[in-house]
Amino acid sequence: MFNQYETVFIATPVLSEGQIKEAVDKFRALVVDNGGEMIHEENWGLKKLAYPIQKKSTGFYHLFEFKADPSFLAKFETEFKRDERIIRFMTVKLEKYAAQYSEKRRNKFKAEKEN
């Protein structure tokens, strides 16, 4: 049985736009290749960090929302830990109400994008 997850990860700000895209593509492919389903993703761009991480004060934020088997999560997080381009990540399981809220947020995001 698949659960719904949301992952936000921060890539180091020293990367070029092509390198960021390559990292995002890698993690998206990891989800899909392991039988998961990508529901939504957002590129939040370069943002200031709340506190310095590895002597960096900014980072490229990206959000993935996906459905996957719970056993996949350990492999997914191991890949984040091994990738030097990623300075922080966090994955949360979305319960029923969180998933409903997330769907509302996605619809709002799509409506803003269309206007």
Side-chain angles (χ1 to χ4, degrees):
M1 179 171 166
F2 281 10
N3 291 325
Q4 189 168 335
Y5 299 98
E6 187 175 274
T7 296
V8 174
F9 59 93
I10 307 170
T12 182
V14 298
L15 299 175
S16 70
E17 196 165 312
Q19 290 170 317
I20 298 280
K21 186 177 179 331
E22 183 184 305
V24 170
D25 289 346
K26 172 190 166 187
F27 291 108
R28 182 185 313 114
L30 189 65
V31 171
V32 174
D33 293 346
N34 284 281
E37 175 191 345
M38 287 298 292
I39 297 173
H40 181 69
E41 66 178 89
E42 291 177 25
N43 179 8
W44 294 349
L46 186 67
K47 292 191 173 279
K48 186 176 179 194
L49 302 174
Y51 54 88
I53 301 172
Q54 297 173 3
K55 297 183 180 178
K56 293 171 180 67
S57 60
T58 58
F60 288 101
Y61 283 67
H62 206 88
L63 172 121
F64 277 172
E65 196 176 322
F66 60 97
K67 288 184 179 177
D69 190 82
S71 63
F72 165 68
L73 218 51
K75 180 179 179 181
F76 190 56
E77 292 190 341
T78 300
E79 286 298 319
F80 276 117
K81 289 175 187 170
R82 288 183 179 161
D83 197 322
E84 294 179 348
R85 297 173 291 192
I86 306 302
I87 56 177
R88 281 290 191 273
F89 67 92
M90 186 166 126
T91 300
V92 293
K93 178 182 170 188
L94 298 179
E95 299 295 339
K96 177 183 169 187
Y97 296 111
Q100 288 174 349
Y101 173 79
S102 183
E103 188 176 341
K104 282 183 189 174
R105 196 176 59 78
R106 277 197 311 268
N107 291 338
K108 184 179 173 185
F109 180 78
K110 284 179 187 174
E112 286 176 2
K113 226 176 177 182
E114 291 173 2
N115 293 328

